[in-house]
Amino acid sequence: MQNRVVMLADFDYFFAQCEELRNPALKDKPVVVGVYSGRTEISGAVSTSNYIARKFGVKSGMPLFLAQRKLEGTDAVFLPVDHVYYDRISERIMGIFRGYATSLEQVSVDEAYLDVTEQVDCSFESAEDYAKKMKAQVKMEVGISFTVGVGPNKLVSKIACDSQKPDGLTIVTPDEVACFLSPLPVDRLLGVGHKISAKMESMGVKTIGDLAHVDIQRLVVTFGRVLGVYFFNAARGIDNEPVQEAGEAESIGRMGTLKQDTRDIEVIMDKIDEQIEDIYKEFCTKNMSYRLVGISVVMTNLSGKSRSKTLEKPIKDKQTIHEVAQELFDKYLAETELAIRRVGVRIGSFVKEERKQKQLTSFFQPS
Ligand code: TTP
Ligand code: CA
């Protein structure tokens, strides 16, 4: 099989760069863009800042008063977020990207994967010129700089992109993947948060290279089948997920037989909760939100039915799956007198995760 060539483009200090674009006088000053909560003049949190402000220690998620303190004595400019303006710029850039890729997967307002395998004829050497051309066109037509990671799949291109910012271009060829990944800390892999990295550290795993030495049985026993297999592959830079246009992703679901036929909601939900655990682990590796929760039932007479609910907004948490599934089962049980034999739950209508403003409190929690 021929190798793929996948790019991740991530716009540099995006909200702040947009502000510089409409007011070039900001370019040599620290610029902080924030969400003002309105409680006091300076209450709220930093969304992002330009690289000048970052030199003074300003970070996304930081309380605005703290950013102000760090920038005391400078000619820093603080601005409120203007999503409508940033979305418009983002759409223009994404429009240009479309012309460069066979498929485009927009991950957030400032990030997109591009499958450019055909355009560069599988060549990583051509990919370098291709990425430079794309960067130059966007700079000229829109005025925004961005960073590109190029790799044989999404996993590698994402990590490549994060390794050199701003205005970076990092290319990792299939031959370089192992050397590139192995010294990096495990939390550079999607799905490795605080809890998992602590667990891995207790197993003596600090780097992606360490993780590649753990055998698959141990990973599956420790993290479960879905995550264990994912970590095994990720440590080797293996990722077969396609670059997927929005709305192409399917649903994730599980189905199972109850120990006995029943109409007892608690028994049903115990089974459903086990399935949710499994579904959620798989879901967490996708970096998406879901908008649909569905249930399936097979009755004692072997007739089957499905019910689903579309949520008002995309959700990421686990508890909502439980709550909506329970609501659907309650309704369904009210409609029938039969006992239930098999049950299943699924989530779907995935949307790529939009970056949410971090809670103020998260800044104070140890990271
Ligand atoms: P990032 O890509 O994380 O950051 P960035 O584009 O500002 O900087 P860079 O990529 O050069 O490191 O986030 C993209 C946008 O998302 C960012 O401009 C503002 C917004 N954002 C928030 O609103 N809150 C946050 O906590 C983060 C991390 C980002
Ligand atoms: Ca960015």
Side-chain angles (χ1 to χ4, degrees):
M1 199 180 79
Q2 282 177 319
N3 68 267
R4 288 188 293 155
V5 182
V6 174
M7 286 185 182
L8 177 67
D10 178 344
F11 312 161
D12 300 323
Y13 63 103
F14 185 49
F15 295 1
Q17 200 187 167
C18 292
E19 296 297 345
E20 288 180 358
L21 185 65
R22 67 173 155 192
N23 182 4
L26 299 177
K27 268 190 181 296
D28 14 283
K29 299 177 181 173
V31 177
V32 178
V33 179
V35 174
Y36 289 79
S37 65
R39 220 176 292 157
T40 68
E41 212 176 294
I42 192 65
S43 61
V46 173
S47 295
T48 194
S49 58
N50 67 0
Y51 279 78
I52 305 178
R54 291 183 197 191
K55 281 204 192 114
F56 291 87
V58 176
K59 291 196 164 79
S60 295
M62 175 181 275
L64 283 167
F65 74 83
L66 196 56
Q68 205 177 42
R69 201 181 296 159
K70 287 185 182 288
L71 292 167
E72 228 158 53
T74 71
D75 51 356
V77 177
F78 283 73
L79 296 163
V81 289
D82 179 354
H83 287 291
V84 176
Y85 170 57
Y86 313 143
D87 286 352
R88 223 168 49 218
I89 292 180
S90 168
E91 273 168 30
R92 285 176 60 205
I93 303 174
M94 296 295 169
I96 295 175
F97 285 174
R98 284 205 171 277
Y100 278 82
T102 304
S103 48
L104 176 84
E105 177 176 329
Q106 188 172 344
V107 186
S108 69
V109 69
D110 84 326
E111 257 179 73
Y113 289 101
L114 295 89
D115 190 319
V116 298
T117 313
E118 281 174 36
Q119 287 78 359
V120 300
D121 206 11
C122 300
S123 156
F124 280 82
E125 211 176 302
S126 311
E128 180 166 358
D129 290 336
Y130 198 65
K132 282 182 183 160
K133 196 170 132 202
M134 193 167 92
K135 277 158 79 87
Q137 187 182 344
V138 171
K139 187 78 192 165
M140 196 178 68
E141 290 181 16
V142 188
I144 291 283
S145 73
F146 58 91
T147 293
V148 178
V150 186
N153 55 46
K154 293 201 285 186
L155 180 132
V156 175
S157 68
K158 165 80 181 153
I159 301 175
C161 183
D162 289 342
S163 68
Q164 198 200 342
K165 281 179 164 188
D167 206 9
L169 171 56
T170 304
I171 297 178
V172 180
T173 66
D175 291 344
E176 293 164 346
V177 168
C179 281
F180 172 72
L181 292 180
S182 102
L184 301 175
V186 269
D187 64 5
R188 295 284 294 275
L189 295 173
L190 197 67
V192 181
H194 299 321
K195 264 197 197 162
I196 289 183
S197 68
K199 179 98 197 162
M200 286 188 179
E201 194 160 347
S202 74
M203 296 162 70
V205 171
K206 283 193 177 145
T207 64
I208 299 179
D210 296 337
L211 185 62
H213 283 105
V214 183
D215 78 30
I216 190 158
Q217 300 300 344
R218 186 154 180 231
L219 290 173
V220 167
V221 168
T222 313
F223 300 105
R225 188 181 57 83
V226 174
L227 271 187
V229 171
Y230 164 72
F231 290 144
F232 181 83
N233 287 325
R236 288 159 180 74
I238 298 170
D239 169 24
N240 294 321
E241 291 278 311
V243 173
Q244 218 159 28
E245 297 279 341
E248 278 183 3
E250 300 149 12
S251 62
I252 308 175
R254 295 287 184 276
M255 189 84 195
T257 305
L258 296 161
K259 286 203 183 86
Q260 280 177 324
D261 294 2
T262 185
R263 291 181 50 81
D264 183 337
I265 186 71
E266 280 188 22
V267 175
I268 292 171
M269 287 312 293
D270 280 349
K271 183 77 185 172
I272 291 293
D273 283 342
E274 283 171 22
Q275 296 173 345
I276 290 175
E277 283 301 320
D278 224 20
I279 288 171
Y280 197 70
K281 278 184 198 152
E282 188 174 333
F283 169 69
C284 285
T285 66
K286 292 191 180 290
N287 203 21
M288 292 196 286
S289 299
Y290 60 89
R291 253 199 114 145
L292 179 130
V293 178
I295 59 162
S296 302
V297 287
V298 176
M299 320 302 291
T300 13
N301 66 1
L302 299 183
S303 66
K305 285 268 171 349
S306 300
R307 293 278 187 277
S308 66
K309 180 177 173 175
T310 299
L311 310 173
E312 274 169 26
K313 57 177 195 306
I315 296 282
K316 276 197 84 67
D317 75 15
K318 190 163 66 176
Q319 182 60 19
T320 306
I321 313 175
H322 171 95
E323 282 163 14
V324 177
Q326 170 136 21
E327 182 189 323
L328 292 169
F329 274 112
D330 281 339
K331 272 196 201 143
Y332 188 69
L333 285 167
E335 287 171 22
T336 178
E337 291 182 346
L338 293 171
I340 293 177
R341 181 184 172 85
R342 278 165 65 73
V343 291
V345 59
R346 68 182 190 285
I347 53 177
S349 298
F350 297 123
V351 286
K352 292 295 165 188
E353 187 183 0
E354 272 296 329
R355 192 111 38 183
K356 290 197 194 83
Q357 185 62 42
K358 271 191 199 153
Q359 296 291 313
L360 263 186
T361 46
S362 70
F363 177 70
F364 297 107
Q365 282 162 3
S367 57

